[in-house]
């Protein structure tokens, strides 16, 4: 697989870009405007963006709900004059597994000339422009379909490109998004310029320690990551990595990864990687950083804990880490 490395100058320029930090004006405290946030994601990064939007929405007094697009079919909120945000990726021109039914739902409504949606909406598309033929195919389809079946567009489709600066794309979208949502909800926001240096420190998560009597049961249960639940992803350990073209002038690098033998999810054949397959590389955290965090939280490395749903350690209003991938 080809992994792209942004050039150092581009990284420095992106980090220096000021972020807009919003806060709820005192006159609008307690408004609790409902906000539906729907996502389509296989790899998990678009899910993370949706959760970051949810966190900021809570900070600004909204009452957000977050769920996959497929779970929104039949949701009465779609048919009301509410607020709707959609974040989705594209996989080789196809929708994510948790968005395919919703795409079909929209298509069927268009064919029957039905208008089941009345919400005001905005769409963020996530993708990688190296796949030029299908880049943003599903977000574009969703944006167009929602309008055809009765939705009212708050903002034009905004796209995040993982090849370039997905974080800056996301920040640019949120800079337009919150004023638009505030106007639609009839509330007032205050804003100030910020930067990476001025963002709040990363949050220390509030975790729940699993009681000792339950640990034995959990230790016998295989770890299942969110993106594995569709039965098509498997874990494989990287045995070797080598740079094939480390000095490309355009800042890209072709990397060869050798994976240890793994078994296909069906269990009856070796896993084989072919062109077009998706590969997610998960790096290990630095041991010193892990030790520092455990000490700060007063936990032992063998302690089992659970995190609250939707937690992500990011700065306010869309700052911090994240991407525009799947």
């Amino acid at each position: 697989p080809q992994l792209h490395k942004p050039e150092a100058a581009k990284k420095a320029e992106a980090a220096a870009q000021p972020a807009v930090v919003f806060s709820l004006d005192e006159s609008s405290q307690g408004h609790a405007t409902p906000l539906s946030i729907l996502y389509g994601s296989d790899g998990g990064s678009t899910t993370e963006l949706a959760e970051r939007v949810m966190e900021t929405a809570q900070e600004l007094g909204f009452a957000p709900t977050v769920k996959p697009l497929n779970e929104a079919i039949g949701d009465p909120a779609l048919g009301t004059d509410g607020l709707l945000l959609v974040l989705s990726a594209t996989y080789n021109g196809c929708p994510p597994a948790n968005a395919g039914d919703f795409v079909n739902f929209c298509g069927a409504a268009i064919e029957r000339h039905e208008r089941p949606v009345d919400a005001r909406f905005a769409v963020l598309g996530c993708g990688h422009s190296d796949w030029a033929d299908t880049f943003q195919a599903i977000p574009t389809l969703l944006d167009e379909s929602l309008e055809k079946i009765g939705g009212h567009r708050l903002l034009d489709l905004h796209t995040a490109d993982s090849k370039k600066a997905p974080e800056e794309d996301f920040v640019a979208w949120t800079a337009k998004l919150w004023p638009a949502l505030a106007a639609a909800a009839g509330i007032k926001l205050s804003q100030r310029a910020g930067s990476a240096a001025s963002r709040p420190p990363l949050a220390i998560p509030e975790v729940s320690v699993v009681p000792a009597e339950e640990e034995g049961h959990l230790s016998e249960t295989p770890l299942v990551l969110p993106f594995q639940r569709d039965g098509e992803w498997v874990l494989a350990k990287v045995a070797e990595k080598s740079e094939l073209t480390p000095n490309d002038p355009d800042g890209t690098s072709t990397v060869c990864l050798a994976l240890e033998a793994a078994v296909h999810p069906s269990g009856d054949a070796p896993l084989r990687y072919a062109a077009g397959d998706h590969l997610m590389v998960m790096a290990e955290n630095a041991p010193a950083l892990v030790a520092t965090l455990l000490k700060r939280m007063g936990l032992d490395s063998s302690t089992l804990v659970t995190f609250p749903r939707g937690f992500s350690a990011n700065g306010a209003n869309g700052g911090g880490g994240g991407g525009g991938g799947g």
Side-chain angles (χ1 to χ4, degrees), residues 209-212 214-216 218-219 290 294 298-305:
V209 176
V210 177
E214 296 182 22
E215 288 189 6
L218 291 177
S219 64
V290 173
L294 288 173
L299 297 173
D300 184 82
S301 61
S302 61
T303 303
L304 289 178
V305 300

Side-chain angles (χ1 to χ4, degrees), residues 59-215:
E59 294 171 5
L60 299 180
F62 289 89
T65 57
V66 183
K67 57 187 174 183
L69 278 156
N70 286 350
E71 295 183 13
I73 298 174
D75 188 339
L78 293 179
T80 64
D81 184 25
L83 300 175
L84 170 65
L85 302 180
V86 174
L87 301 84
S88 182
T90 298
Y91 295 89
N92 300 328
C94 299
N98 57 11
D101 292 344
F102 188 86
V103 170
N104 293 336
F105 160 77
C106 292
I110 292 173
E111 290 183 0
R112 294 193 294 263
H113 303 287
E114 297 175 346
R115 300 174 69 85
V117 175
D118 192 37
R120 291 160 287 177
F121 71 90
V123 178
L124 174 69
C126 303
H128 197 297
S129 57
D130 269 358
W131 281 262
D133 291 343
T134 58
F135 181 57
Q136 303 294 347
I138 297 304
T140 299
L141 178 61
L142 287 168
D143 182 70
E144 295 174 349
S145 297
L146 285 170
E147 185 177 43
K148 290 179 181 178
I149 61 176
H152 310 280
R153 186 178 287 105
L154 272 176
L155 294 173
D156 290 338
L157 170 67
H158 193 92
T159 61
D161 187 354
S162 294
K163 181 179 180 179
K164 299 176 181 177
E167 176 66 20
E168 298 310 308
D169 292 336
F170 177 70
V171 170
W173 181 60
T174 57
K176 297 184 296 184
L177 175 66
W178 297 116
L181 289 174
I187 62 172
K188 184 178 180 181
L189 299 180
S190 302
Q191 67 181 67
R192 61 179 174 82
S195 66
S198 65
R199 289 174 189 147
L202 296 181
I204 299 298
E206 295 289 339
V207 300
S208 300
V209 176
V210 177
E213 58 269 19
E214 296 182 22
E215 288 189 6

